[in-house]
Amino acid sequence: HDDEIFMFDAGVKFANDELLGMNGTVANFSYIKENEKNFKGLIITHGHEDHIGGIVHLLLMVNVPVIYAPKLPAELIKKKIAEHKEIKIPKIVEYDDDTVITSKYMKIDFCRVCHSVPDSFMLCVNTPNGNIVRTGDFRFDFATNGDETDLKKLMDF
């Protein structure tokens, strides 16, 4: 919105039979690079490769001021970046169910969801133009122990 850009997830798209000889692709980060002065941060929903696998490529191209991530994905990201000595680990802020990120134009709220990896979240971004809900990946599994989807908060989104 205006002079604020947040990016949600930076993963790898896994290759298929049409991309012979390739394991995967990453997004084109040129828009973020061109608007780097407005880039406020990267927000990660969970720790699967299709959501964090492109972070190293982003960091090689763009100065990322902060990465917001739940605890488990934050640790996975640190480990991934540490494998690349030429990259300085940016500021990583861990968030949880009660975290709210407030910026000039936006308020970002988080909702825990059940997924095949712990510490998964969806988020709601309140903007002057309306709300944006970023689901990440989730499932409804009522047999989990501690990583259930927060249905009440989800309904509030």
Side-chain angles (χ1 to χ4, degrees), residues 45 95 108-113 120-124 133-138 140 149-150 153-154 157:
T45 58
Y95 69 80
I108 304 168
D109 195 6
F110 299 91
C111 176
R112 183 173 299 277
V113 295
S120 297
F121 286 81
M122 69 171 47
L123 51 101
C124 182
V133 175
R134 167 74 172 143
T135 62
D137 294 337
F138 68 96
F140 292 108
T149 298
D150 185 342
K153 195 167 189 180
L154 176 61
F157 277 5

Side-chain angles (χ1 to χ4, degrees), residues 7 26-37 39 54-65 86-88:
M7 182 173 161
V26 294
N28 179 344
F29 299 122
S30 60
Y31 178 82
I32 300 296
K33 180 63 180 169
E34 291 166 12
N35 295 278
E36 192 169 7
K37 70 181 187 322
F39 187 43
I55 289 176
V56 168
H57 302 280
L58 177 66
L59 292 173
L60 286 169
M61 187 175 179
V62 177
N63 177 29
V64 177
E86 71 277 17
I87 301 175
K88 181 179 174 251

Side-chain angles (χ1 to χ4, degrees), residues 1-99:
H1 184 84
D2 286 343
D3 60 351
E4 286 189 327
I5 299 171
F6 285 94
M7 182 173 161
F8 306 108
D9 294 327
V12 170
K13 178 176 176 42
F14 297 111
N16 55 30
D17 292 339
E18 295 174 13
L19 297 171
L20 297 175
M22 296 176 65
N23 292 330
T25 60
V26 294
N28 179 344
F29 299 122
S30 60
Y31 178 82
I32 300 296
K33 180 63 180 169
E34 291 166 12
N35 295 278
E36 192 169 7
K37 70 181 187 322
N38 297 328
F39 187 43
K40 303 303 178 193
L42 171 63
I43 301 175
I44 301 300
T45 58
H46 67 281
H48 279 152
E49 280 296 296
D50 59 332
H51 292 260
I52 66 169
I55 289 176
V56 168
H57 302 280
L58 177 66
L59 292 173
L60 286 169
M61 187 175 179
V62 177
N63 177 29
V64 177
V66 61
I67 297 174
Y68 298 95
K71 185 171 185 55
L72 177 62
E75 292 305 314
L76 294 171
I77 292 165
K78 290 174 193 172
K79 183 174 175 155
K80 182 178 286 299
I81 295 170
E83 295 172 358
H84 299 269
K85 302 299 182 206
E86 71 277 17
I87 301 175
K88 181 179 174 251
I89 296 177
K91 178 179 180 183
I92 298 178
V93 174
E94 293 179 11
Y95 69 80
D96 61 23
D97 310 69
D98 300 319
T99 301

